[in-house]
Amino acid sequence: MSSVALAVLTRDLRVHDNPVLSAAAHEADAVVPVFVLDEAILRSAYNRPNRARFLAESHADLDASLADRGAGLVVRRGRWPEEVARLAQEAGAASVHVAGDVTGYSRRRLTELREGLGHDVRVE
């Protein structure tokens, strides 16, 4: 049976030398790259048309780069912790890899993710 890891991408949307993708690929037989369009951020003043357009273009570029390597970007929309946990369950992931982030919001949603995953799935 092959192992699966989620590589949850947040700020770093590059394939080359991406520490989250690299760590997931070194650990598991299969990697599911994912980006969650966080509803809380989408509803905030931070979500401006130029930023939204740039993000969409970045996702398209990232998806093309992943396709060149035999993968594809999974994009979900909703509450970040819930969507990541749901996808981990759907994929049968043994681990979830996420880049470190120092903001209070990111730390809170990571804590919520850990609580939502339970003990069966590691967060790296």
Side-chain angles (χ1 to χ4, degrees):
M1 186 167 151
S2 64
S3 59
V4 176
L6 291 191
V8 183
L9 304 169
T10 53
R11 295 177 190 263
D12 189 353
L13 300 180
R14 63 193 161 99
V15 171
H16 176 72
D17 198 29
N18 184 305
V20 172
L21 287 170
S22 180
H26 280 95
E27 176 184 304
D29 299 318
V31 175
V32 179
V34 61
F35 186 93
V36 176
L37 295 164
D38 190 326
E39 287 289 345
I41 293 172
L42 293 176
R43 288 190 307 266
S44 75
Y46 185 78
N47 186 29
R48 295 297 204 207
N50 287 346
R51 284 190 177 125
R53 184 173 41 259
F54 178 75
L55 183 60
E57 291 168 356
S58 297
H59 284 161
D61 183 59
L62 176 60
D63 190 45
S65 294
L66 289 166
D68 289 344
R69 291 161 174 81
L73 180 63
V74 175
V75 178
R76 296 281 175 102
R77 182 181 182 139
R79 290 195 68 248
W80 189 90
E82 292 172 5
E83 292 303 319
V84 173
R86 184 176 295 120
L87 184 57
Q89 181 180 17
E90 291 171 8
S95 62
V96 174
H97 294 259
V98 182
D101 196 328
V102 298
T103 66
Y105 180 73
S106 294
R107 289 192 315 254
R108 284 189 301 276
R109 71 182 190 179
L110 191 57
T111 297
E112 193 174 331
L113 172 63
R114 283 188 173 104
E115 292 168 357
L117 288 172
H119 300 293
D120 295 341
V121 181
R122 290 182 336 279
V123 177
E124 302 287 339

